[in-house]
Amino acid sequence: MTLKLNPIINIIIMKKITQFFFVLSSFFCFSQSAESEFDKMVMSESKSAASTMNLQVNPNTQNYDVIYHELRFTVNPNNTPAAISGVVKTTFTALANMSSITFDMATQLVVSSVTMNSTNLTFSQSNYELNITFPSTISTGTSASVIITYAGIPPTAEGAFTRSTHNGTPVIYTLSEPFGARDWWPCKQDLNDKVNSIDVYITAPSQYVSVANGVEVGAPVISGSNKTTHF
């Protein structure tokens, strides 16, 4: 049986604080000593729920099936406003002949490059979409991968990517589930399309602990003042 995973990743970046918990079942953090922080997260959940009710699956994303994601995110909770840079590799199978592919993505996130097999592809961004043109048609049933490099300040209206504080320490957390994932990475916001597998790499200042879906793979890698954790 093939393992099917929800393609949406929830991440929290935090310092090592004993009373700070990450609960995978509901994707929120709780501190017994910080009711105001909990209230902020409740508000974020409310925004996420509203986004869920208002969401309509993008018909422009229905001609492919996502198979795999490699997600590489770089964040720094100490920076204001909260920004993210990422490199997202998506492997998909064409459900129809495709001359282009569309991902859900906030226009506030600026894409610097899209490649396929080391070849630069033409792309455009508008109306919460990233549209990528292929050099030749991809036939039905064929699998391919694109690599998207981007950076920007995620919008806050949907409460999907939030910078807050815990006992004065800046933290970043997400509440996408998955409606709002498009605010911080290029994705397909459709729960009917379950990804087979994912790899998540989070790079943050080395004094922080990164948490995401899945099992941590190996020890975090230190590079200068940053630390990269793989799930």
Side-chain angles (χ1 to χ4, degrees):
M1 178 181 293
T2 301
L3 176 64
K4 308 294 279 186
L5 298 176
N6 190 309
I8 303 307
I9 311 306
N10 283 267
I11 297 173
I12 174 171
I13 309 300
M14 60 186 180
K15 279 192 174 179
K16 294 181 179 178
I17 301 173
T18 303
Q19 291 184 324
F20 207 39
F21 298 93
F22 183 63
V23 183
L24 290 177
S25 61
S26 56
F27 298 106
F28 71 91
C29 302
F30 176 72
S31 171
Q32 293 177 335
S33 61
E35 293 182 1
S36 61
E37 294 165 25
F38 179 74
D39 291 341
K40 290 179 182 178
M41 292 183 185
V42 170
M43 181 60 68
S44 294
E45 280 282 10
S46 177
K47 289 181 179 180
S48 179
S51 299
T52 300
M53 290 184 287
N54 294 328
L55 182 96
Q56 293 183 349
V57 173
N58 187 348
N60 296 328
T61 64
Q62 299 305 294
N63 59 345
Y64 63 93
D65 177 28
V66 178
I67 304 301
Y68 170 75
H69 283 304
E70 180 185 280
L71 309 173
R72 294 181 180 270
F73 302 120
T74 299
V75 292
N76 187 343
N78 297 308
N79 293 340
T80 305
I84 187 170
S85 61
V87 179
V88 171
K89 177 181 180 180
T90 298
T91 301
F92 62 92
T93 299
L95 301 179
N97 291 342
M98 300 174 64
S99 58
S100 63
I101 190 170
T102 297
F103 292 100
D104 297 305
M105 186 180 191
T107 50
Q108 290 90 332
L109 303 176
V110 179
V111 176
S112 57
S113 71
V114 179
T115 63
M116 174 185 287
N117 299 325
S118 300
T119 299
N120 289 319
L121 303 184
T122 301
F123 62 89
S124 63
Q125 292 181 258
S126 63
N127 300 322
Y128 257 89
E129 289 186 345
L130 169 63
N131 301 289
I132 302 167
T133 302
F134 299 133
S136 60
T137 300
I138 296 177
S139 301
T140 304
T142 302
S143 295
S145 299
V146 293
I147 299 176
I148 302 163
T149 303
Y150 71 98
I153 299 171
T156 59
E158 296 177 316
F161 185 93
T162 302
R163 180 187 183 275
S164 185
T165 58
H166 175 77
N167 292 341
T169 299
V171 296
I172 288 175
Y173 63 89
T174 71
L175 288 169
S176 303
E177 303 178 331
F179 310 102
R182 64 182 186 173
D183 286 351
W184 54 283
W185 65 288
C187 59
K188 179 179 179 179
Q189 288 202 162
D190 183 353
L191 285 177
N192 294 311
D193 189 351
K194 305 294 185 179
V195 181
N196 290 47
S197 61
I198 59 173
D199 283 285
V200 185
Y201 298 83
I202 308 170
T203 299
S206 57
Q207 70 268 32
Y208 282 85
V209 173
S210 301
V211 181
N213 300 61
V215 177
E216 185 173 340
V217 179
V221 176
I222 305 295
S223 178
S225 61
N226 289 330
K227 177 173 62 179
T228 299
T229 310
H230 176 202
F231 298 90

